[in-house]
Amino acid sequence: MVIAHSTSQVVAAGPATALLLVIVGVVVVAGLLAMFMAGRRRAARKPPPPSAPQPGADSWDTPPSSPDGSGRNDDR
């Protein structure tokens, strides 16, 4: 049983609106792809991390500028 009201409206995009939405979608996807490719190029230009050990790399001590503000280093 189908009940149709006289005030019901069909909500659909017209041909011009549909074409506009497709164009906007293609532009958005193209922009995202361009940003992704630019980010990959930028990351490829970044220098590699140093291979030599860094000073203090094997230390588990709290640095002198600790968040608690004491500024001291407990040597145990």
Side-chain angles (χ1 to χ4, degrees):
M1 180 170 153
V2 176
I3 300 174
H5 297 286
S6 62
T7 59
S8 64
Q9 297 177 351
V10 176
V11 179
T17 306
L19 181 63
L20 178 67
L21 290 174
V22 168
I23 291 172
V24 166
V26 168
V27 167
V28 167
V29 169
L32 288 171
L33 284 172
M35 288 189 292
F36 176 74
M37 290 170 48
R40 285 188 62 153
R41 269 193 227 128
R42 188 174 186 179
R45 286 193 314 237
K46 204 187 258 188
S51 60
Q54 299 297 306
D58 60 346
S59 172
W60 281 82
D61 290 340
T62 306
S65 59
S66 63
D68 65 351
S70 65
R72 60 187 170 89
N73 201 0
D74 292 334
D75 292 326
R76 294 179 190 171

